[in-house]
Amino acid sequence: MTTTRFDETDVPRASGMPMLGLGTWQNENPEQCAESVRTALEMGYRHIDTAQIYGNEDAVGDGIAAADVDREDIFLATKLWIDELGHDEALDSAAESLDRLGVDRIDLLYVHWPARSYDPAETLPALDELRDAGMIDHIGVSNFEPSHLDRARDVLDAPIFANQIECHPLLQQSALREYAAEAGIELVGYSPLARGQIFDVPEIQDIADKHETSAAQVSLAWLREKAVTAIPKATSADHIADNWASLGLELDDADVATIDDIERTDRRVNPDFGPDAWE
């Protein structure tokens, strides 16, 4: 397998966060997860995303420790689960995440959903405290709609660094992209391949054929054009490498316009505890 190499300075970044990361959702086998993380880091990835609910923070930490990459060069993100969002619970569970990951700080800590034990007045001051204590560098939120973001920005002392949302050519999130641009909040897109649905979209496949590349790379390159950081899940070295090679794909204006014109709203992640009304 030939792997495309990129110099560290060639990898696009958003406010210090590499704009392509490795997602680890459903990578629950400890050995496989650790190996995926190690493989990605040694391939050139510098952004690793996990969450408490994934049950793999220990394995992610093992992969980071096994990789021949300095911890200081890695942008590491995890998320507080919705049952751990009371003030004291958030403080305690964040410390537990650091222990599982085997690190002394986390680059970006997200509130995973504005649900269950989430209370802006309780949860968000705890994140400010974690940042002030040097346990986290940046505060993030996930699956927040504009109304949640407005409230969070009112409560937090620190700025919201990123909002992680489902985003892909079949769920383009134009309103949240506009909000983020105006507010100076980075957008991180999970499920950037629409959980495989983009492979069945003729427009995307046509663009992939034109560039002699994969539909996955086209979707990831389109997100980058929209200033969205993508964190595709991948476990095999081949998929990790294919996603990585998207950094070398430049879509032309016609490609971007073709994807922009796809008229579908296909939300793949919609749990019963999600926002009552997606805006």
Side-chain angles (χ1 to χ4, degrees), residues 56-69:
N56 62 11
E57 287 177 319
D58 290 286
V60 168
D62 289 343
I64 290 172
D68 187 21
V69 176

Side-chain angles (χ1 to χ4, degrees), residues 50-53 56-65 71-72 76-81 84 89-110 126-127 129-138:
T50 184
Q52 292 176 343
I53 195 62
N56 62 11
E57 287 177 319
D58 290 286
V60 168
D62 289 343
I64 290 172
R71 165 67 185 99
E72 292 305 309
L76 176 61
T78 192
K79 310 174 195 75
L80 297 175
W81 187 236
E84 303 289 345
E89 290 84 0
L91 296 175
D92 292 343
S93 66
E96 291 165 2
S97 283
L98 265 71
D99 287 342
R100 286 190 291 267
L101 289 162
V103 298
D104 58 9
R105 64 171 181 81
I106 294 167
D107 296 271
L108 176 56
L109 181 65
Y110 295 98
L127 270 67
E129 291 175 36
L130 290 165
R131 185 175 182 270
D132 290 344
M135 296 171 68
I136 66 175
D137 288 345
H138 301 292

